[in-house]
Amino acid sequence: QVQLVESGGGLVQPGGSLRLSCAASGTIFSINGMGWYRQAPGKERELVATITSTRRTNYADSVKGRFTISRDNAKKTVYLQMNSLKPEDTAVYYCNAEVVTYYTGSWWGQGTQVTVSS
């Protein structure tokens, strides 16, 4: 069984920063791509950023230059550093990972709330 647990969400003022973490645990042989997605109220879940096992990154246009995704393979953890936050970044943020266990599958975390408001 594989679990992804996010942390680091919260309430922040516009222009502020937050750092999200997502740690994978369980029977894991390796982790391929990892990523962050978000879902605002009344909207569909959207991609925020992804990172491959070789650390190639991809970002949504709306967060380029403000967010940075990174990973620590030894800790099986992916991070999302969010700077210059805007009210429109308010959403539940989910991490996702393609994990190689006894098979290869896609796992999701439970989500962490990020609220940007004054």
Side-chain angles (χ1 to χ4, degrees), residues 26 47 63 68 73 78 82 84 112:
L47 179 148
V63 307
T68 302
N73 291 333
V78 62
M82 305 185 293
S84 302
T112 185

Side-chain angles (χ1 to χ4, degrees), residues 1 14 26 34 45-46 50 52 58 69-70 75 80 88 99 110 112 115-118:
Q1 187 73 3
M34 305 182 83
R45 190 173 298 187
E46 64 176 4
T50 60
T52 69
N58 178 57
I69 189 171
S70 61
K75 293 182 179 180
L80 185 68
E88 50 263 44
V99 177
Q110 81 287 355
T112 185
T115 302
V116 185
S117 175
S118 55

Side-chain angles (χ1 to χ4, degrees), residues 6 20 35-41 43-49 59-64 66-67 80 82-96 108 111-114 116:
E6 298 112 333
L20 305 183
W36 289 95
Y37 296 73
R38 66 187 181 186
Q39 187 166 19
K43 294 188 177 182
E44 295 187 353
R45 190 173 298 187
E46 64 176 4
L47 179 148
V48 176
Y59 295 92
D61 288 343
S62 59
V63 307
K64 281 181 181 176
R66 300 188 297 123
F67 291 10
L80 185 68
M82 305 185 293
N83 299 328
S84 302
L85 282 161
K86 304 175 181 180
E88 50 263 44
D89 295 317
T90 296
V92 178
Y93 284 70
Y94 299 89
C95 73
N96 173 267
W108 290 90
T112 185
Q113 176 70 46
V114 172
V116 185

Side-chain angles (χ1 to χ4, degrees), residues 1-2 26-30 99-105 107:
Q1 187 73 3
V2 174
T27 303
I28 298 172
F29 300 145
S30 64
V99 177
V100 180
T101 176
Y102 297 109
Y103 57 94
T104 299
W107 271 266

